[in-house]
Amino acid sequence: MLDSIPSETPPPNLHDLAEDHYFGANPPPKDLEKHIALAREFIDFHSAAGRRLVLVTSGGTTVPLEKQTVRFIDNFSAGTRGATSAEYFLEAGYAVLFLHRQFSLLPFSRHYSHATDCFLDFLREGPNGSVVARDEDAGRMLQVLRKYRSARDRHMFLDLPFVSISDYLHELRSIARLMQPLGPRGLLYLAAAVSDFFVPPERMSEHKIQSTNAVDSAPSNSKKSPSSDKGSDNEEETFDNFDSSPAVPRSKSLVVDLDPVPKFLKNLVEGWSPQGMIVSFKLETDPTILVHKARYSLDRYQHHLVIGNLLSTRKWEVVFVAPGSPDRWIRVPTPQQRRMSSSAGAGFDQPLDPKSLPEGEPEVEIEGLIIPAVGDLHTKYIEAFEARRRA
Ligand code: 9Z3
């Protein structure tokens, strides 16, 4: 048997090593320091007021294929869940720090920023060259505007953007650490659709990945872009990617080799935010594995709630998976159920069949059911924390 060498500092565990390696190798976003300053001021203000504060993450994360990024892998998330949830958290009295994918949906403005019915469709020209809301939209728009202005004027809402997966992780780690003074009043609600795979910096091309061999024939000390070859020789024409003629050979195929993104939930729970309540989302497309995967994630990371949802039914139902509680489905009623005034969410234990759902969007936003339920669990979480402290 080996003698153990007594040591004052315990050896770093694997999660710490993975964290040091990832954050050392992947540079932070250029605005991180600016964001940290804004977030610190916001968090300290609400912490001093004894208020609850939620970090809502929202939207997809990009996976850049080049350091000077022309191409990237993305996912479907528009940020509807995050932006809608943020509005309901504000309504419930939370200060909201909204960490969102740049150009994804924002709370309040989301009502007017769809691809159909863009905001100009809600406006008309008024008297003396003024711009006014269309009569049929004015009442609703005024309500939304008032809520938005109230949140801004009372400093209840701060929005910070990210783009790539590494930007997101840097921002999340910094903000979670800043939230520590909130203790159990801090809530982390992780609705962003986070990529599981990325290209590590050591394998990432600095410049745009070339689709042709045209640069190989450029003078050795001046690698010209293919377009700058135009006129000097015909190489670019021959290999042009847009030429679909079968006689033209494709010079290259692109094989993208991705590494798994390290799972930082453990680091979040144990190191970055040891007292805050942590809610993660689990997204699946296969209904038979959703609850199992959600429970597995909870067991593995030991956080406080996993909200499971399926891509096809995510606006109709979610499942709450929490330690020591049975799975709890939360469901918005279909128009037919509403007419029959049957209760939503009671006694269901199986995912909905997407084929059974009506066309289009539900009449009720499911976040209006999710947020009060999360708020109740957060109240219990704070009470249990205080009771432990008193004991
Ligand atoms: C979610 O599951 C969100 O509810 C959606 C919302 C991304 C489905 P939309 O933006 O969609 O309203 O269109 N978010 C979390 C997805 C995720 O990346 N979870 C990780 C996973 O499933 C764990 S943290 O492994």
Side-chain angles (χ1 to χ4, degrees), residues 15 54 84 90 103 117 119 131 164 167 186 190 338-339 345 381:
H15 293 288
V54 61
T84 311
L90 285 165
F103 308 132
D117 294 339
F119 80 98
V131 178
S164 68
D167 294 355
L190 309 175
R338 274 159 76 86
R339 274 195 302 279
Y381 178 81

Side-chain angles (χ1 to χ4, degrees), residues 154-202:
R154 292 180 302 121
H155 305 295
M156 292 293 280
F157 177 67
L158 175 68
D159 55 313
L160 299 174
F162 64 81
V163 177
S164 68
I165 172 68
S166 79
D167 294 355
Y168 167 79
L169 290 170
H170 273 282
E171 298 269 354
L172 176 65
R173 180 169 77 153
S174 300
I175 295 170
R177 285 173 168 168
L178 290 172
M179 287 174 69
Q180 287 184 13
L182 293 159
R185 282 178 288 114
L187 174 63
L188 294 96
Y189 179 89
L190 309 175
V194 181
S195 174
D196 285 328
F197 303 100
F198 79 124
V199 183
E202 67 273 15

Side-chain angles (χ1 to χ4, degrees), residues 322-359:
S325 311
D327 309 334
R328 175 176 165 204
W329 290 90
I330 292 190
R331 207 163 264 169
V332 296
T334 61
Q336 195 191 6
Q337 285 167 333
R338 274 159 76 86
R339 274 195 302 279
M340 292 161 64
S341 72
S342 69
S343 65
F348 296 103
D349 61 0
Q350 288 298 316
L352 278 170
D353 177 0
K355 291 197 240 31
S356 71
L357 292 171
E359 288 277 304

Side-chain angles (χ1 to χ4, degrees), residues 61-374:
T61 53
T62 68
V63 177
L65 301 186
E66 299 123 345
K67 287 185 183 158
Q68 297 191 37
T69 309
V70 173
R71 303 189 186 88
F72 53 85
I73 300 173
D74 204 352
N75 65 48
F76 71 96
S77 169
T80 311
R81 172 82 78 229
T84 311
S85 299
E87 288 183 23
Y88 286 99
F89 275 121
L90 285 165
E91 208 164 292
Y94 282 79
V96 175
L97 206 167
F98 188 66
L99 181 63
H100 69 286
R101 163 74 181 280
Q102 187 182 35
F103 308 132
S104 64
L105 292 179
L106 290 168
F108 306 110
S109 76
R110 75 183 171 98
H111 299 281
Y112 304 102
S113 56
H114 295 283
T116 54
D117 294 339
C118 84
F119 80 98
L120 289 175
D121 290 326
F122 295 91
L123 304 175
R124 66 173 176 82
E125 192 170 333
N128 306 321
S130 61
V131 178
V132 293
R134 278 189 323 195
D135 295 344
E136 62 272 38
D137 303 308
R140 168 127 172 82
M141 210 179 240
L142 181 63
Q143 275 179 14
V144 174
L145 181 64
R146 279 185 180 152
K147 285 184 189 169
Y148 172 70
R149 280 269 46 104
S150 157
R152 283 283 194 212
D153 295 346
R154 292 180 302 121
H155 305 295
M156 292 293 280
F157 177 67
L158 175 68
D159 55 313
L160 299 174
F162 64 81
V163 177
S164 68
I165 172 68
S166 79
D167 294 355
Y168 167 79
L169 290 170
H170 273 282
E171 298 269 354
L172 176 65
R173 180 169 77 153
S174 300
I175 295 170
R177 285 173 168 168
L178 290 172
M179 287 174 69
Q180 287 184 13
L182 293 159
R185 282 178 288 114
L187 174 63
L188 294 96
Y189 179 89
L190 309 175
V194 181
S195 174
D196 285 328
F197 303 100
F198 79 124
V199 183
E202 67 273 15
R203 285 212 308 273
M204 208 190 290
S205 151
E206 171 69 29
H207 292 287
K208 183 186 168 209
I209 298 168
Q210 295 295 307
S211 60
T212 74
N213 285 334
V215 280
D216 293 352
S217 60
S220 57
N221 57 357
S222 66
K223 279 203 167 181
K224 291 187 282 179
S225 71
S227 58
S228 64
D229 272 351
K230 268 203 178 120
S232 59
D233 64 37
N234 238 359
E235 198 86 60
E236 202 225 352
E237 310 294 316
T238 319
F239 289 98
D240 193 312
N241 237 2
F242 294 101
D243 188 336
S244 60
S245 151
V248 177
R250 286 279 183 275
S251 63
K252 281 180 182 177
S253 61
L254 177 62
V255 177
V256 182
D257 181 11
L258 302 172
D259 277 6
V261 173
K263 298 280 183 200
F264 287 121
L265 251 182
K266 193 90 192 151
N267 306 57
L268 179 65
V269 176
E270 289 179 358
W272 310 345
S273 177
Q275 295 184 339
M277 175 167 163
I278 297 171
V279 180
S280 73
F281 277 77
K282 173 57 69 186
L283 171 69
E284 293 297 340
T285 54
D286 178 351
T288 63
I289 63 171
L290 176 65
V291 171
H292 172 75
K293 292 286 295 283
R295 187 64 66 187
Y296 178 81
S297 167
L298 196 69
D299 291 345
R300 185 163 176 196
Y301 303 115
Q302 299 284 302
H303 55 305
H304 312 106
L305 175 65
V306 178
I307 304 183
N309 54 178
L310 292 164
L311 185 65
S312 56
T313 57
R314 68 191 190 280
K315 295 188 178 172
W316 293 94
E317 69 172 2
V318 298
V319 58
F320 275 29
V321 177
S325 311
D327 309 334
R328 175 176 165 204
W329 290 90
I330 292 190
R331 207 163 264 169
V332 296
T334 61
Q336 195 191 6
Q337 285 167 333
R338 274 159 76 86
R339 274 195 302 279
M340 292 161 64
S341 72
S342 69
S343 65
F348 296 103
D349 61 0
Q350 288 298 316
L352 278 170
D353 177 0
K355 291 197 240 31
S356 71
L357 292 171
E359 288 277 304
E361 308 255 307
E363 289 169 8
V364 176
E365 291 175 328
I366 193 166
E367 291 78 8
L369 305 175
I370 296 174
I371 301 326
V374 171

